[in-house]
Amino acid sequence: MSDARPSARREMTAVVAVLAATGLLLLVLETVLGFVVLAGVGAAVLLRPRARAGLAALMALLGLVVVAIGVTGDGSSSVLLVAAGALVTATSAFAAARSRRWPPPRRGERMTPRREPGPRDTWDALDRGEDPTV
């Protein structure tokens, strides 16, 4: 089990990085779609695995919409839209399939480990007029 968690974290990090980079590209090409992809990535990081899988499925559908917009458009940006949409679709479909194995977000936990008070901390508390036994 200890080997699965680091690989799941790496998967999650890779998916977030790819979707964020694609969202930034879309931000230049189609501003609204770029904001939607970036907002989806931000929300996915904060959601629990089951909700994350549902959001990833919606993001895959959004990727198909981006592909359709790119196919119907003309010009050099349409090729980039198709590529970005395909990347969003593929990455989001992967996330929808695998995100239930990814760790849930940390909530209510301290990011730094608590340190046990030492003898010096006891004396410092006494100097401040606090009771270190409470």
Side-chain angles (χ1 to χ4, degrees), residues 13-32:
T13 303
V15 166
V16 167
V18 168
L19 285 174
T22 308
L24 289 174
L25 173 66
L26 283 172
L27 197 60
V28 172
L29 300 173
E30 291 287 331
T31 306
V32 172

Side-chain angles (χ1 to χ4, degrees), residues 76-100:
S76 61
S77 66
S78 64
V79 173
L80 289 174
L81 280 173
V82 170
L87 194 57
V88 168
T89 301
T91 307
S92 297
F94 176 80
R98 302 279 299 184
S99 66
R100 290 184 185 219

Side-chain angles (χ1 to χ4, degrees), residues 56-68:
L58 288 174
M59 294 281 289
L61 290 174
L62 174 68
L64 291 175
V65 169
V66 173
V67 168

Side-chain angles (χ1 to χ4, degrees), residues 49-130:
R50 181 181 239 161
R52 191 183 295 153
L55 180 63
L58 288 174
M59 294 281 289
L61 290 174
L62 174 68
L64 291 175
V65 169
V66 173
V67 168
I69 290 171
V71 168
T72 59
D74 56 345
S76 61
S77 66
S78 64
V79 173
L80 289 174
L81 280 173
V82 170
L87 194 57
V88 168
T89 301
T91 307
S92 297
F94 176 80
R98 302 279 299 184
S99 66
R100 290 184 185 219
R101 295 182 184 104
W102 298 346
R106 292 182 181 179
R107 293 199 176 144
E109 294 179 16
R110 292 179 63 159
M111 297 304 282
T112 58
R114 292 183 94 170
R115 153 178 99 77
E116 290 297 319
R120 177 76 182 154
D121 296 323
T122 303
W123 287 110
D124 288 341
L126 286 171
D127 287 342
R128 288 189 304 267
E130 299 172 359

